[in-house]
């Protein structure tokens, strides 16, 4: 064995695929990617590392215990990094049932499969095994004042079916360590952005709508504040926690980039004005429209990431200005291939490198 053997659930999604690409590029570790390939799972996200002998893909639902047991037996991981989740707040409001199934029942099923496998290991391997659960800052609810931040000790107060289901999964992970001794860790991150982000999310939606001459919808006055984290910075942090973090601990991961939603949209418009001007010479900002706010919309999220900086030496490499420019350039370069495949649904009909229907 050259390195670790890391089982990544949700590895064909936005953050999961960034993590898998990072592990294959930057380490000697083997990766087994487990993904159900729902609408957000896209094998094109993994195409550039798919020919690596250290990469393996399994189309598996984390609620399927028999299939999980098979993967654990055959791959024999040293680490589990659990990212598989339903993650879109609006979708959770329209249909919360799938969020309960995947985020709560799926996490429970994965924990039990991992515990069963962990109990079968020899003492040295059992001691080295880690289960890293990747969560969100939305479990904390929202912040009151401009000087407050989410810390590892912040009480949970989820506001949406999505964040409530993630809070539940966090509690399950911690309980499996407290009750059964399974060595688990939890990370809570701020809003991610970057390449391969599914187009229903704010930043890619604004980029693509702007280019297509469509309205750019902003909830309410657009004054909701989020802390933005470039996805490749997040991937580096996740790998550090999985391999260097302490079982039983929680690490918050943030980007030091607080912006209102309206600021984000206007920044994207300015970049597009520079990089791909409108034919009529007007600013893309003229396409901004304000729409009715969604129910239970949290006002401000902001993470204090000082612990992971202090204990593991991680800080983000990208500022919001550098990261958002990279992101806009990536979408401009991939509008006719990756973006077109996602928007048309063609990506659902392709297996990695085969063109076969999954």
């Amino acid at each position: 064995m050259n390195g670790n053997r890391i089982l990544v659930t949700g590895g064909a999604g936005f953050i999961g695929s960034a993590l898998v690409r990072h592990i294959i590029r930057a380490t000697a570790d083997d990766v087994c990617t487990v993904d159900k390939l729902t609408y957000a799972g896209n094998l094109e996200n993994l195409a550039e590392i798919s020919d690596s002998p250290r990469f393996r893909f399994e189309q598996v639902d984390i609620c399927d215990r028999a299939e999980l047991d098979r993967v654990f037996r055959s791959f024999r991981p040293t680490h589990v990094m659990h990212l598989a989740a339903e993650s879109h707040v609006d979708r959770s409001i329209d249909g919360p049932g799938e969020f309960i199934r995947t985020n709560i029942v799926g996490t429970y099923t994965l924990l039990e499969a991992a515990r069963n496998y962990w109990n079968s290991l020899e003492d040295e391997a059992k001691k080295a095994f880690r289960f890293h659960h990747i969560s969100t800052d939305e479990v904390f609810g929202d912040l009151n004042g401009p000087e407050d931040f989410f810390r590892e000790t912040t009480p949970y107060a989820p506001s949406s079916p999505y964040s409530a289901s993630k809070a539940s999964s966090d509690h399950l992970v911690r309980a499996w360590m407290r009750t059964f001794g399974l060595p688990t860790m939890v990370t809570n991150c701020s809003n991610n952005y970057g390449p391969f982000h599914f187009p229903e999310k704010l930043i890619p939606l604004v980029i693509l709508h702007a280019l297509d001459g469509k309205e750019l919808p902003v909830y309410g006055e657009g004054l909701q504040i989020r802390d933005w984290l470039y996805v490749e910075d997040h991937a580096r942090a996740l790998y550090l926690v999985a391999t260097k973090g302490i079982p039983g601990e929680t690490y918050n991961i943030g980007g030091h980039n607080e912006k209102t939603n309206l600021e984000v949209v206007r920044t994207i418009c300015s970049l597009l004005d520079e990089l791909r001007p409108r034919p009529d010479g007007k600013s893309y900002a003229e396409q901004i429209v304000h729409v009715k706010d969604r129910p239970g919309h949290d006002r401000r999220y902001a993470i204090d990431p000082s612990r992971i900086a202090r204990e593991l030496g991680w800080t983000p490499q990208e500022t919001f200005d550098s990261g958002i420019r990279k992101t806009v350039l990536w979408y401009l370069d991939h509008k006719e291939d990756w973006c077109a495949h996602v928007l048309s649904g063609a990506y659902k009909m392709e297996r990695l490198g085969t063109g076969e229907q999954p």
Side-chain angles (χ1 to χ4, degrees):
M1 183 187 300
N2 294 323
N4 301 308
R5 297 178 62 79
I6 302 179
L7 177 63
V8 178
T9 71
F14 169 49
I15 299 174
S17 65
L19 173 63
V20 172
R21 293 192 303 270
H22 170 74
I23 295 171
I24 294 297
R25 290 171 182 160
T27 80
D29 296 347
D30 291 338
V31 180
C32 178
T33 298
V34 167
D35 202 295
K36 184 181 176 182
L37 295 182
T38 61
Y39 76 95
N42 186 349
L43 289 173
E44 292 184 21
N45 299 354
L46 298 166
E48 62 193 67
I49 51 88
S50 63
D51 59 352
S52 169
R54 294 183 289 111
F55 170 81
R56 166 177 165 185
F57 176 76
E58 295 275 1
Q59 186 174 352
V60 169
D61 182 347
I62 60 167
C63 292
D64 188 335
R65 176 62 188 275
E67 279 293 278
L68 287 177
D69 286 342
R70 176 186 63 79
V71 172
F72 273 97
R73 286 193 303 268
S74 61
F75 183 64
R76 301 195 63 78
T78 58
H79 298 70
V80 174
M81 300 184 72
H82 176 36
L83 295 96
E86 294 285 344
S87 64
H88 194 259
V89 174
D90 287 352
R91 284 178 182 259
S92 80
I93 295 170
D94 294 337
E98 194 60 32
F99 288 72
I100 303 304
R101 178 184 181 274
T102 299
N103 298 353
I104 301 178
V105 178
T107 298
Y108 157 74
T109 306
L110 181 67
L111 282 165
E112 282 293 84
R115 182 166 73 97
N116 179 69
Y117 166 75
W118 175 70
N119 280 328
S120 74
L121 297 174
E122 299 292 337
D123 286 347
E124 186 175 345
K126 192 173 184 179
K127 185 177 180 181
F129 182 83
R130 298 289 183 269
F131 186 108
H132 176 193
H133 175 63
I134 290 83
S135 189
T136 171
D137 60 359
E138 296 193 40
V139 299
F140 301 122
D142 55 6
L143 293 164
N144 295 319
E147 305 304 318
D148 198 10
F149 291 90
F150 295 137
R151 296 177 174 84
E152 286 80 2
T153 55
T154 299
Y156 278 28
S159 303
S160 70
Y162 160 60
S163 57
S165 67
K166 287 297 290 185
S168 178
S169 67
D170 294 7
H171 292 318
L172 288 173
V173 169
R174 295 187 177 104
W176 256 243
M177 179 165 181
R178 178 72 179 267
T179 302
F180 303 113
L182 184 70
T184 69
M185 299 169 292
V186 175
T187 51
N188 299 88
C189 70
S190 58
N191 280 35
N192 279 225
Y193 70 102
F196 299 102
H197 205 179
F198 197 78
E200 71 184 1
K201 302 289 188 170
L202 175 66
I203 287 176
L205 183 144
V206 168
I207 296 169
L208 297 175
H209 274 209
L211 294 171
D212 289 341
K214 299 178 180 178
E215 292 182 341
L216 308 181
V218 175
Y219 279 130
E221 297 178 356
L223 300 181
Q224 301 85 2
I225 296 171
R226 300 294 181 262
D227 175 17
W228 291 94
L229 174 64
Y230 192 63
V231 70
E232 293 178 10
D233 279 332
H234 190 198
R236 292 189 303 105
L238 293 178
Y239 183 79
L240 268 176
V241 171
T243 56
K244 305 295 184 183
I246 299 171
E249 299 297 337
T250 298
Y251 301 88
N252 281 353
I253 306 171
H256 297 289
N257 291 305
E258 286 188 63
K259 304 287 180 183
T260 68
N261 287 348
L262 188 58
E263 282 182 283
V264 171
V265 174
R266 289 193 177 280
T267 298
I268 293 168
C269 290
S270 295
L271 283 168
L272 290 173
D273 289 342
E274 171 197 343
L275 299 168
R276 187 70 58 84
R278 277 176 39 162
D280 62 7
K282 296 181 179 179
S283 173
Y284 287 97
E286 295 197 11
Q287 295 166 223
I288 295 172
V289 296
H290 292 266
V291 300
K292 183 180 178 181
D293 209 349
R294 70 184 178 209
H297 202 169
D298 292 330
R299 186 70 174 206
R300 174 174 173 257
Y301 302 151
I303 273 193
D304 174 6
S306 58
R307 181 181 192 185
I308 190 173
R310 182 176 64 251
E311 297 184 10
L312 300 181
W314 175 88
T315 55
Q317 294 178 355
E318 301 292 342
T319 64
F320 186 73
D321 287 343
S322 66
I324 196 65
R325 177 174 287 271
K326 286 183 176 182
T327 301
V328 170
L329 285 168
W330 188 89
Y331 278 92
L332 289 173
D333 288 343
H334 293 87
K335 186 175 187 296
E336 304 305 324
D337 46 43
W338 186 88
C339 297
H341 292 168
V342 170
L343 293 172
S344 70
Y347 73 104
K348 298 177 183 178
M349 302 299 290
E350 298 175 0
R351 278 189 180 273
L352 197 58
T354 67
E356 297 173 3
Q357 183 174 350

